[in-house]
Amino acid sequence: MAYRKTPAEIHRLTTAKEHLVGCATRVVAEVGWSQASVTAVADAAGIAAGSVYQHFPSKAALAVEVFRRAAGREVEVLGEVLHGPGDPVERLVRGIEVFARRALENRGLAHALLAAPAEPAVGAERLAYRRRYRALFAEVVREGVATGALPAQNGEITAAALTGAVGEVLVDPLGAPEDADAEALLADLAAMALRCAGAPRT
């Protein structure tokens, strides 16, 4: 008869895995993907390096899990804002502001998600999540066009431009001191989004 884990053992393993992913996320936020070795993560988690492989077959698999969870949360938050109250233009601007503010509040992790050099597996995830961001922006742009709040345009192209521009604009500020003028940056990003989508000036 094949061995079956008991509920207590499953709970213990799940808890240990969650702790490991949390520690790995903090290490990545501090030192980036390239320096987040299995040994560094194990040290942060207070376990032996070999114990990491009880939960993940490789460093790349652990890195992908860290990326998916962190980026998935950002997509979730953006979706909540873009599907929230307000007209499409208001939601578009609010979504970009919320995305950028969250990035600036956790600069190390945001830089890792957006731009830091990473293994090919993480790079592939980054592209997949950019498509998810783009899809959310495209939806609200198309809604804006349909309601007459925005001029006729290809929502996919505008969304791709916004996704790329916001990420590019944030790269340098994420490496700047935290006392940099974040509010001015957020205002500039909002203005850029309005111009990109062709929103009428008020």
Side-chain angles (χ1 to χ4, degrees):
M1 180 180 295
Y3 171 75
R4 297 181 64 182
K5 294 183 176 68
T6 65
E9 186 175 4
I10 293 172
H11 176 72
R12 179 184 63 78
L13 290 170
T14 300
T15 300
K17 182 177 181 178
E18 292 300 311
H19 175 64
L20 180 60
V21 172
C23 290
T25 302
R26 289 190 290 275
V27 171
V28 168
E30 291 172 3
V31 301
W33 301 105
S34 60
Q35 298 300 314
S37 65
V38 169
T39 299
V41 171
D43 287 347
I47 60 176
S51 297
V52 173
Y53 297 104
Q54 293 180 351
H55 306 283
F56 296 96
S58 64
K59 175 190 172 184
L62 174 57
V64 165
E65 182 70 10
V66 168
F67 187 96
R68 284 177 177 170
R69 293 199 189 195
R73 178 56 184 154
E74 297 310 311
V75 169
E76 182 180 300
V77 170
L78 180 61
E80 290 172 357
V81 175
L82 294 181
H83 293 135
D87 68 45
V89 174
E90 291 171 343
R91 283 183 274 127
L92 178 62
V93 171
R94 193 181 311 126
I96 288 174
E97 289 176 340
V98 168
F99 180 87
R101 190 180 298 280
R102 287 175 61 84
L104 293 170
E105 289 173 351
N106 196 346
R107 296 178 184 224
L109 183 59
H111 187 265
L113 296 178
L114 288 172
E119 305 183 19
V122 172
E125 290 296 320
R126 187 177 280 156
L127 287 176
Y129 275 86
R130 282 175 66 98
R131 294 188 187 101
R132 292 180 64 181
Y133 293 128
R134 193 172 68 208
L136 287 170
F137 284 132
E139 184 179 353
V140 76
V141 169
R142 287 195 297 268
E143 184 182 347
V145 172
T147 61
L150 294 173
Q153 60 195 284
N154 185 317
E156 292 292 334
I157 291 177
T158 301
L162 284 171
T163 302
V166 171
E168 183 65 24
V169 168
L170 286 173
V171 169
D172 285 343
L174 289 176
E178 292 193 19
D179 60 355
D181 194 346
E183 295 305 318
L185 175 61
L186 293 174
D188 287 342
L189 273 172
M192 179 276 296
L194 292 173
R195 290 194 301 271
C196 182
R201 296 187 178 186
T202 57

